[in-house]
Amino acid sequence: MERAMLITFKFLRWGSLRNVKLWLRTPQVFVILMLQGYQVFAQQKVIVIDPGHGGKDSGAIGINQLQEKKVVLDIAMEILKLNKTIFENRFDIYLTRYKDTLISLTDRTKLAKALNADVFISLHCNYSDNPKARGLEVYVGKNESRNVKNSFSLAYQLQYQVNKRLGFDSRDVKFANFQVLRENIDICPSLLLEFGFLSNKEENEYYTKSSAIRAVALVIFECLIKI
């Protein structure tokens, strides 16, 4: 079972992604996931995915004007698509935005509370003046809460899987006082992901490919299944 996933994800690492096309067709993924023993029919958990920025707030602007707000929305929409088409609505998933609109941080956190969410994940991309900076950073809230342990567990699982499956460098799990974490940690396990640097030529190029967007979405989904 593990071998089946490795065979699939080895093509997604930096060196070989550009040589592989249509790696993730629906029948292939279904067979792979069934081999892993995933059960599609289970009690639904409510997942809130927060694509950062939007509207007049583009977030980071990378090489060739690639915008953070677009990358993270593409990932979030792909998670929705996977949930519907491959996993037969395994989760009850909501996005804080479904198009290029700016949603206040307060409204983003209110959604998780209103839905009594089981998990909240905020998606972002990084930027640095150092073009060599690269990798995934995962943040959890600083404040004490009964959900901190589960937040850390999911954070380390995501960091490990993104490194193992996709080849992103790991920049560790860190504490932060971001509003979306501070106000959600008492509701549910909450994470903020900085998914690579748009200022890094290789990572920026990675996100210009639809297959890469789908790969990232699938890894996030895989980790959610295990919680």
Side-chain angles (χ1 to χ4, degrees):
M1 294 185 288
E2 179 69 15
R3 184 167 174 264
M5 288 300 290
L6 288 174
I7 289 172
T8 299
F9 280 102
K10 73 177 182 179
F11 294 120
L12 304 180
R13 301 181 73 87
W14 302 118
S16 54
L17 178 63
R18 59 177 59 92
N19 297 322
V20 178
K21 295 182 179 178
L22 301 177
W23 67 273
L24 200 56
R25 292 178 180 174
T26 297
Q28 295 170 331
V29 177
F30 183 77
V31 170
I32 291 166
L33 293 174
M34 291 303 290
L35 285 172
Q36 275 205 303
Y38 286 140
Q39 310 230 346
V40 235
F41 302 104
Q43 184 177 357
Q44 280 189 323
K45 291 185 177 181
V46 176
I47 310 295
V48 174
I49 304 293
D50 172 40
H53 308 284
K56 64 181 181 180
D57 178 11
S58 62
I61 300 178
I63 300 168
N64 296 326
Q65 301 301 303
L66 182 63
Q67 296 183 333
E68 177 182 3
K69 67 176 183 178
K70 180 182 185 305
V71 173
V72 296
L73 182 59
D74 287 347
I75 293 171
M77 295 301 289
E78 189 61 38
I79 292 172
L80 270 182
K81 184 178 178 181
L82 286 171
N83 188 52
K84 181 178 180 180
T85 60
I86 304 297
F87 295 92
E88 299 186 1
N89 294 311
R90 170 69 178 261
F91 297 119
D92 196 8
I93 298 180
Y94 298 85
L95 306 187
T96 56
R97 66 181 179 97
Y98 292 82
K99 54 185 180 179
D100 185 18
T101 53
L102 180 60
I103 308 297
S104 72
L105 295 177
T106 298
D107 285 342
R108 293 171 194 257
T109 58
K110 281 181 178 178
L111 180 63
K113 185 175 183 179
L115 294 171
N116 193 25
D118 292 292
V119 177
F120 176 92
I121 297 180
S122 189
L123 301 177
H124 293 263
C125 293
N126 230 326
Y127 186 91
S128 173
D129 291 334
N130 177 7
K132 294 183 179 179
R134 59 185 297 152
L136 171 73
E137 290 178 334
V138 186
Y139 292 92
V140 298
K142 282 184 175 182
N143 45 319
E144 293 185 9
S145 168
R146 59 188 174 85
N147 293 311
V148 168
K149 181 178 179 181
N150 287 337
S151 296
F152 264 102
S153 177
L154 179 56
Y156 279 108
Q157 182 63 221
L158 271 164
Q159 182 180 245
Y160 172 75
Q161 293 297 336
V162 168
N163 172 260
K164 180 180 179 181
R165 307 297 195 192
L166 305 181
F168 278 82
D169 291 344
S170 297
R171 297 174 65 91
D172 211 351
V173 176
K174 304 175 181 180
F175 285 109
N177 196 35
F178 299 131
Q179 184 175 342
V180 292
L181 298 180
R182 184 175 67 248
E183 296 185 3
N184 274 333
I185 191 65
D186 288 333
I187 301 167
C188 61
S190 303
L191 307 179
L192 187 145
L193 309 180
E194 291 278 6
F195 241 112
F197 286 75
L198 298 185
S199 50
N200 179 283
K201 182 179 179 181
E202 196 171 29
E203 292 186 346
N204 185 94
E205 182 181 351
Y206 185 76
Y207 283 121
T208 64
K209 300 176 175 65
S210 59
S211 54
I213 297 294
R214 179 169 284 196
V216 170
L218 182 57
V219 170
I220 293 172
F221 211 109
E222 180 187 23
C223 291
L224 288 172
I225 286 175
K226 294 180 179 178
I227 60 175

